[in-house]
Amino acid sequence: VLAPETLLKQRKNAQKSAADKAAEKLATKKANRQKRQVIFKRAEQYVKEYRQLERSEIRLRRQAKQTGDFYVPAQPKLAFVIRTKGVNKIAPKPRKVLQLLRLLQINNGVFIRLTYATTQMLQIITPYAAWGTPNLKTVKELIYKRGYGKVNKQRIPISDNRVIEESLGKYGIICIEDLVHEIFTVGPNFKVANNFLWPFKLSNPTGGWARRKFRHFIEGGDVGCRDDKINALVRRMN
């Protein structure tokens, strides 16, 4: 008995779709392998760049010491700001600045590019925030552990490089190492990369805040500028 024509058509269509799926899977696998190679090469290049920066800093410091001079490092371009106060009893101007910096909740943290304008803004919010210059380890730990991206105005965890590539691929940022590099070096696409990152939601620091939390850092409190000491605070909050 011959099989009905409709059944033969169904079988033919099923075979065709299976072959198409297999071909697509193979193409995706090949593309992913090539992408991984590109990502590894970029990561190696970034490691080399970070090492060179570190070594040149050490070399310049030693040269200055040998000639009896003082080495003055370049002005930092990047800052990490943490909001230390809740929402009550804040004057309208600092409240607006905290809003502009996307620091809407206590223990929220954001990266900002240090310019004259942003420095003035930080002065306004001194009693309500702590900030300083993060090092590479801090930037990496924050993005790897607490990193969430803004995708269609939603908070999406950065659990895969695809999340980054879909949003920032057109700017040449295709993986998490690209994102770390763009933020740490304050590259040309810093604004879009930083805007893609959702404000970090940190915990209270291990061991608690200072006894007089709302005093300035140099007076034994926790607010205001603390330069590279921000790294120790972020370790305790991350």
Side-chain angles (χ1 to χ4, degrees):
V1 180
L2 290 171
E5 200 177 326
T6 49
L7 187 64
L8 290 172
K9 274 185 179 176
Q10 279 175 357
R11 277 182 195 165
K12 199 177 178 184
N13 288 340
Q15 283 171 354
K16 191 174 179 250
S17 64
D20 289 347
K21 269 185 188 172
E24 197 181 320
K25 199 176 179 183
L26 201 68
T28 310
K29 207 173 179 182
K30 194 178 176 184
N32 284 346
R33 194 183 299 128
Q34 287 173 343
K35 209 172 282 175
R36 271 201 303 274
Q37 286 173 348
V38 170
I39 288 168
F40 277 124
K41 276 182 186 171
R42 282 193 185 186
E44 280 174 9
Q45 187 187 324
Y46 294 148
V47 167
K48 206 179 280 182
E49 190 184 321
Y50 299 142
R51 278 204 191 125
Q52 280 175 351
L53 274 170
E54 209 175 320
R55 282 175 186 161
S56 68
E57 196 88 353
I58 293 165
R59 183 174 51 79
L60 290 167
R61 220 177 273 275
R62 282 178 183 163
Q63 278 179 359
K65 199 175 180 183
Q66 280 170 0
T67 53
D69 291 330
F70 291 102
Y71 171 65
V72 181
Q75 288 287 322
K77 292 187 284 185
L78 179 71
F80 186 68
V81 190
I82 301 168
R83 179 167 176 161
T84 55
K85 192 175 185 328
V87 293
N88 294 339
K89 295 182 181 175
I90 297 181
K93 202 170 183 180
R95 187 189 292 267
K96 184 66 185 172
V97 172
L98 287 165
Q99 254 176 29
L100 291 171
L101 295 176
R102 304 187 299 160
L103 296 169
L104 305 179
Q105 296 172 313
I106 191 168
N107 294 350
N108 268 12
V110 290
F111 292 111
I112 63 164
R113 189 203 301 263
L114 279 179
T115 61
Y116 177 75
T118 52
T119 310
Q120 296 297 99
M121 288 166 88
L122 290 173
Q123 291 302 324
I124 293 168
I125 60 163
T126 295
Y128 315 112
W131 73 90
T133 314
N135 58 21
L136 178 63
K137 190 180 179 204
T138 300
V139 175
K140 266 190 178 175
E141 280 180 0
L142 280 166
I143 293 175
Y144 271 94
K145 187 178 175 185
R146 301 257 180 185
Y148 282 78
K150 192 197 290 175
V151 182
N152 297 330
K153 297 183 180 179
Q154 289 182 317
R155 185 170 180 259
I156 306 294
I158 303 173
S159 54
D160 193 349
N161 283 331
R162 264 183 305 188
V163 177
I164 297 169
E165 192 179 1
E166 281 166 15
S167 296
L168 303 172
K170 57 187 170 187
Y171 301 104
I173 300 168
I174 60 166
C175 64
I176 202 159
E177 281 301 326
D178 287 346
L179 188 59
V180 169
H181 180 261
E182 196 65 32
I183 295 290
F184 180 65
T185 58
V186 189
N189 297 313
F190 174 82
K191 191 177 177 182
V192 281
N194 193 33
N195 199 38
F196 165 75
L197 283 172
W198 199 276
F200 297 94
K201 296 188 177 197
L202 303 172
S203 311
N204 276 324
T206 311
W209 295 99
R211 186 168 288 189
R212 305 292 301 203
K213 178 181 175 182
F214 296 112
R215 280 189 181 170
H216 198 285
F217 180 66
I218 55 176
E219 293 173 344
D222 267 318
V223 301
C225 179
R226 54 174 71 201
D227 294 326
D228 59 341
K229 301 283 190 299
I230 193 75
N231 297 305
L233 179 64
V234 172
R235 296 274 181 294
R236 287 164 55 212
M237 295 180 78
N238 198 356

